Amino acid sequence: KNLQTIQDSIAWLKTQYGEFKIKPVKIMVMDLFHYLEEKYAAKLKENNSNFYFKGDHNAFLTSDRMLLEYVLDKIFNNAVKYSFPGQDIYLQAITEGDQVVLSIIDSGTGINEKYLPAIYTYGNPIFLGTAGEKGAGLSLKIVKNFISLLNGNIQIISVENKGTTVSLFLRKFIE
């Protein structure tokens, strides 16, 4: 946990100081799906969960791969952490004009609505995952920052004991 906190802090610091520049490249959304599928294969198997893709299999966007993979990794890690054994997780891609909406959808523990307004602040308590995993409470704060660097938006819809959908609204092309 401490190592993860340090790594998250370093990733964020790199974007705040020095000569950090967005490096836009064309990214196929299916490549992002396969990245998550491979990275989390062991955790998904351990949790007896499946990971599925929904939506446009040809969807793409031009974005910074490092930032986008970091964001999806943190959101997906939360989806796995807060899902009960046997529950499926989805990556959904919808193209709407010059925008791509990427959503990670789970049927896990959800978030109590009283915590949602402050989800990107340091005011919320630390929640335990379904297997007792403890987070540092940093991930979503960094995710929000990275999404703004990509000129995008994030939306979290969650119902306690029903699940969470985290949607990223990203421009198809960034410069």
Side-chain angles (χ1 to χ4, degrees):
K1 181 189 144 247
N2 290 335
L3 177 61
Q4 189 59 56
T5 301
I6 291 167
Q7 290 171 337
D8 288 350
S9 299
I10 290 169
W12 177 78
L13 283 169
K14 285 181 181 175
T15 67
Q16 302 301 305
Y17 300 99
E19 297 295 315
F20 180 80
K21 297 253 189 293
I22 298 287
K23 296 177 188 74
V25 294
K26 182 178 179 180
I27 304 167
M28 297 302 295
V29 175
M30 284 305 296
D31 290 344
L32 296 170
F33 171 77
H34 293 302
Y35 162 77
L36 292 170
E37 187 177 47
E38 287 174 28
K39 181 168 184 175
Y40 285 90
K43 276 189 179 180
L44 288 164
K45 187 174 182 178
E46 182 183 308
N47 204 38
N48 195 25
S49 295
N50 292 306
F51 180 41
Y52 297 107
F53 182 83
K54 294 195 313 189
D56 182 358
H57 283 73
N58 296 313
F60 72 91
L61 64 157
T62 304
S63 190
D64 186 292
R65 182 178 293 276
M66 184 203 78
L67 291 183
L68 188 54
E69 284 183 352
Y70 180 93
V71 164
L72 289 171
D73 180 43
K74 295 303 166 194
I75 296 168
F76 192 77
N77 185 56
N78 281 347
V80 173
K81 187 189 310 183
Y82 297 107
S83 287
F84 294 104
Q87 291 183 319
D88 296 334
I89 301 170
Y90 297 88
L91 173 64
Q92 178 176 283
I94 300 171
T95 303
E96 298 174 345
D98 68 344
Q99 181 172 258
V100 175
V101 182
L102 299 179
S103 299
I104 293 182
I105 305 162
D106 70 62
S107 304
T109 61
I111 304 166
N112 185 304
E113 66 183 35
K114 74 178 180 183
Y115 297 117
L116 284 173
I119 198 83
Y120 305 111
T121 69
Y122 296 98
N124 274 338
I126 304 298
F127 300 101
L128 294 180
T130 54
E133 313 94 325
K134 190 173 183 185
L138 266 180
S139 294
L140 287 177
K141 294 155 195 67
I142 297 172
V143 160
K144 175 105 168 121
N145 181 264
F146 283 9
I147 288 298
S148 66
L149 288 173
L150 296 173
N151 296 313
N153 289 304
I154 183 170
Q155 176 187 55
I156 299 176
I157 298 172
S158 190
V159 177
E160 197 169 20
N161 300 314
K162 297 270 189 221
T164 302
T165 298
V166 179
S167 296
L168 307 174
F169 298 84
L170 301 162
R171 294 194 358 228
K172 207 169 180 179
F173 302 99
I174 62 170
E175 298 168 19

